[in-house]
Amino acid sequence: MSTDDLTLIRPDDWHLHLRDGALLAAVLPHTARCFARAIVMPNLKPPVTTVALARAYRERILAALPAGMTFEPLMTLYLTEATTPDDIAEASASGFVHAVKYYPAGATTNAASGVTELRRCYPVFEAMQKHKLPLLMHGEVTDPEVDVFDREPVFVERHLTTLLRDFPALRMVLEHITTREAAQFVRDAPAHVGATITPQHLLLNRNAIFAGGLRPHSYCLPVLKRETHRQALVEVATSGDPGFFLGTDSAPHPRHAKESSCGCAGIYSAHAAIELYAEAFEAAGALDKLEAFASFHGADFYGLPRNTGTITLLRQPWTVPEEVDFGGVPGVPMRAGESIAWRLDT
């Protein structure tokens, strides 16, 4: 498929980091220019562990939305070993909490309060299954003896099969998948198991971290993998399988936090997310499959109505700025200083 413009039903982002305060105000317009809704990650400091905290965070997001923009934040709770079935019942009844996020303790940014042993959360999973509240999983193990590039396949083998057996009706999303093994698991799983895929994992392999030197702005978690895994992700994303949908995992970190002696993980893509996905789908000869991946599959999985408005992408190359404002400090966006083939028609 080749065209100079592409009109899509307005898409949604099913995995997004907005942070808080001045940083939230700076990055929110990048998402709202394109996406109608987003599943907002709860890993703030302190984490969003209760419905009351989620309500307050939602109000701060809406207050930061520029006049004239429309956007609906879909809130999540941060799962801890202190979360209770009553918390799940309250979240389900709230109308604005749409999922619960599982982080293995220490796995990624602000994950210190995460779960050390999944079985300790079984009463909560039972309540989530009852209330049909999805479990969103950062699908990695953090055992030091497991190679960092194998953390996702080990998680799939060690935990996902067991969870599916013990909670056969629990709605689950394996977030930001990076490997052939994760893709195959979701392909083979029942319809209530899905996965999000990021633009970086569709466009880059692990060579990007080391191209001409150490590239901290290509470092994310789960880390980029081999080219064979990238190809497997492109295959499932463009297959039309409704179990796979768009989730940017766009994560704003200031330049100084990335370019440090112990740089943090995360890639910022909200400034050009749908344009980057369009590049990936076009490279695969599958532009005709982008709308379903970006606009239909996630909404259907979450039981929400599909959006009715549209966006249009134009084939007009543009150069990404070297830096973007992250609330008064500079951040480096994905593809900084480089060209992107598609531009959102605003």
Side-chain angles (χ1 to χ4, degrees):
M1 179 178 180
S2 178
T3 182
D4 289 328
D5 62 82
L6 181 64
T7 297
L8 310 171
I9 294 295
R10 193 176 176 195
D12 301 302
D13 186 347
W14 299 99
H15 185 115
L16 177 67
H17 297 272
L18 287 173
R19 311 306 189 204
D20 213 343
L23 182 51
L24 162 64
V27 302
L28 179 58
H30 293 168
T31 289
R33 74 191 177 98
C34 170
F35 296 106
R37 300 171 291 204
I39 287 282
V40 179
M41 292 296 103
N43 57 331
L44 302 182
K45 288 185 175 180
V48 180
T49 55
T50 68
V51 172
L53 289 171
R55 179 183 291 108
Y57 186 26
R58 181 176 184 272
E59 290 171 355
R60 295 196 299 275
I61 294 170
L62 293 174
L65 189 65
M69 282 189 157
T70 59
F71 173 74
E72 182 183 0
L74 308 174
M75 309 311 294
T76 60
L77 297 189
Y78 187 117
L79 180 67
T80 75
E81 291 172 13
T83 304
T84 68
D86 287 344
D87 293 327
I88 300 306
E90 184 182 2
S92 177
S94 72
F96 58 84
V97 174
H98 292 268
V100 175
K101 180 62 184 282
Y102 160 73
Y103 291 104
T108 188
T109 303
N110 298 344
S113 301
V115 173
T116 60
E117 173 53 59
L118 274 172
R119 286 195 172 273
R120 294 175 182 167
C121 298
Y122 267 33
V124 171
F125 296 156
E126 185 63 48
M128 291 175 65
Q129 182 172 247
K130 173 184 174 182
H131 290 284
K132 298 181 171 57
L133 199 63
L135 173 65
L136 314 184
M137 290 171 288
H138 182 111
E140 293 189 290
V141 299
T142 55
D143 299 4
E145 68 271 16
V146 177
D147 189 285
V148 67
F149 291 100
D150 296 331
R151 286 178 171 183
E152 183 176 278
V154 171
F155 180 87
V156 170
E157 179 182 1
R158 187 180 295 176
H159 297 301
L160 277 186
T161 302
T162 301
L163 279 175
L164 197 57
R165 180 199 68 203
D166 293 346
F167 301 96
L170 178 62
R171 303 180 63 77
M172 295 187 285
V173 180
L174 190 56
E175 301 278 25
H176 42 52
I177 63 169
T178 64
T179 60
R180 180 174 54 245
E181 290 87 349
Q184 192 60 52
F185 179 88
V186 175
R187 262 194 156 166
D188 294 341
H192 62 272
V193 177
T196 56
I197 307 178
T198 75
Q200 62 263 28
H201 291 107
L202 291 176
L203 290 166
L204 303 174
N205 62 39
R206 66 187 188 180
N207 288 341
I209 307 172
F210 309 104
L214 189 60
R215 302 286 183 173
H217 300 289
S218 293
Y219 171 54
C220 59
L221 287 173
V223 70
L224 299 171
K225 302 300 195 299
R226 291 180 180 271
E227 174 64 10
T228 53
H229 293 294
R230 187 195 70 81
Q231 292 174 359
L233 298 184
V234 170
E235 180 184 352
V236 295
T238 61
S239 68
D241 187 323
F244 300 92
F245 33 95
L246 184 156
T248 64
D249 194 21
S250 181
H253 293 282
R255 177 191 280 274
H256 66 81
K258 295 285 290 179
E259 299 175 4
S260 70
S261 61
C262 188
C264 55
I267 293 177
Y268 186 72
S269 61
H271 65 293
I274 195 64
E275 296 94 328
L276 291 165
Y277 281 109
E279 278 201 1
F281 275 68
E282 183 174 36
L287 271 177
D288 60 320
K289 300 294 181 60
L290 177 60
E291 184 176 53
F293 175 81
S295 309
F296 299 157
H297 294 171
D300 294 349
F301 181 90
Y302 277 88
L304 296 172
R306 295 177 178 181
N307 299 316
T308 56
T310 61
I311 62 166
T312 297
L313 290 167
L314 306 176
R315 191 188 297 280
Q316 293 180 359
W318 58 287
T319 300
V320 177
E322 294 282 355
E323 294 182 339
V324 294
D325 173 45
F326 279 177
V329 297
V332 178
M334 186 175 174
R335 200 72 74 80
E338 300 177 17
S339 178
I340 292 180
W342 293 88
R343 178 191 292 274
L344 183 68
D345 184 9
T346 56

